[in-house]
Amino acid sequence: GAVVSQHPSRVICKSGTSVKIECRSLDFQATTMFWYRQFPKQSLMLMATSNEGSKATYEQGVEKDKFLINHASLTLSTLTVTSAHPEDSSFYICSARQGSTGELFFGEGSRLTVL
Amino acid sequence: AQSVTQLGSHVSVSEGALVLLRCNYSSSVPPYLFWYVQYPNQGLQLLLKYTTGATLVKGINGFEAEFKKSETSFHLTKPSAHMSDAAEYFCAVSERGNNRLAFGKGNQVVVIP
């Protein structure tokens, strides 16, 4: 099946720094990508919808200046957590929608720990 | 807005026994329904989905689920659990065609030898 890769899988950073997480569709073009956040023992929460070549659409309550999303190409979307704080520590998961079939494929997730 | 309820974060089942994971949804429009499985340190993998048509849906690895509109349910079953079924399972709902999924909290399945 189609593959979606996230990098890095784990990242530890100091409070106040910014962290970028990449989501790549390796063998298909993704017209739309989604970013989710998962807290321990809780469900995945949709943060934003990322469309290639346009601004991301953020869910209610998600700070767009805090979580910068860029979808510059049909195979890459990035999530940048700016001025990270310990409460931003979480598991971030992306999914990519295959343009030709409309099917969704998920990345392996990226665990962010902010000290 | 859609939502999903999965009760019981941890589910223990004996090897060879029936696996039953319950999912109830809330949606103001006809839903698309999904079950995903997540193995440790891996992404979510689609087990099965209901969009339209037959309400009993068969998926990979011997799993199936039945859409019951009257009960707003989409329970997942497998007749005989295997050790390799140990994983986390998520039920999800979306409005038809928009791919914006609302997930349940998940069930961690433990298979006892």
Side-chain angles (χ1 to χ4, degrees):
Chain A
V3 178
V4 174
S5 177
Q6 282 185 241
H7 178 79
S9 57
R10 293 177 183 270
V11 57
I12 300 172
C13 70
K14 293 182 178 180
S15 187
T17 61
S18 295
V19 174
K20 181 185 285 187
I21 300 170
E22 293 185 347
C23 177
R24 292 182 184 272
S25 55
L26 298 184
D27 51 2
F28 66 97
Q29 292 186 329
T31 53
T32 305
M33 290 183 172
F34 302 87
W35 285 95
Y36 292 85
R37 183 174 180 176
Q38 185 180 24
F39 292 100
K41 302 186 186 303
Q42 295 191 32
S43 63
L44 284 75
M45 180 191 75
L46 179 63
M47 299 174 65
T49 302
S50 169
N51 293 299
E52 187 267 336
S54 63
K55 290 185 178 181
T57 303
Y58 290 81
E59 296 298 306
Q60 191 173 10
V62 178
E63 299 176 62
K64 61 181 180 180
D65 295 329
K66 173 77 172 175
F67 299 99
L68 299 179
I69 291 173
N70 183 276
H71 193 160
S73 77
L74 286 172
T75 60
L76 174 64
S77 176
T78 61
L79 167 68
T80 301
V81 182
T82 63
S83 187
H85 288 96
E87 57 264 32
D88 298 326
S89 298
S90 193
F91 195 55
Y92 294 88
I93 301 174
C94 74
S95 68
R97 177 181 177 175
Q98 187 173 27
S100 58
T101 66
E103 192 167 348
L104 278 181
F105 298 94
F106 283 81
E108 318 95 313
S110 299
R111 186 164 299 283
L112 170 63
T113 302
V114 184
L115 303 177
Chain B
Q2 304 98 333
S3 66
V4 169
T5 301
Q6 290 179 254
L7 297 177
S9 60
H10 283 76
V11 176
S12 294
V13 59
S14 297
E15 190 176 14
L18 171 73
V19 179
L20 170 61
L21 302 180
R22 298 180 186 275
C23 172
N24 288 90
Y25 70 91
S26 173
S27 178
S28 57
V29 298
Y32 282 179
L33 293 158
F34 308 81
W35 275 100
Y36 286 90
V37 61
Q38 186 179 31
Y39 297 100
N41 300 315
Q42 294 187 31
L44 276 70
Q45 179 182 6
L46 180 65
L47 272 179
L48 48 79
K49 64 181 178 183
Y50 167 80
T51 53
T52 58
T55 56
L56 181 62
V57 181
K58 295 186 183 300
I60 62 172
N61 302 339
F63 285 93
E64 64 181 37
E66 186 171 11
F67 169 59
K68 292 188 177 180
K69 183 179 178 181
S70 61
E71 298 177 7
T72 61
S73 70
F74 191 58
H75 302 330
L76 181 72
T77 60
K78 180 174 180 177
S80 177
H82 191 273
M83 296 301 293
S84 61
D85 294 326
E88 186 138 24
Y89 293 80
F90 293 94
C91 181
V93 63
S94 76
E95 290 185 9
R96 292 187 166 183
N98 71 9
N99 289 133
R100 292 174 66 248
L101 299 175
F103 284 88
K105 291 187 176 183
N107 294 121
Q108 183 69 50
V109 171
V110 175
V111 182
I112 303 168

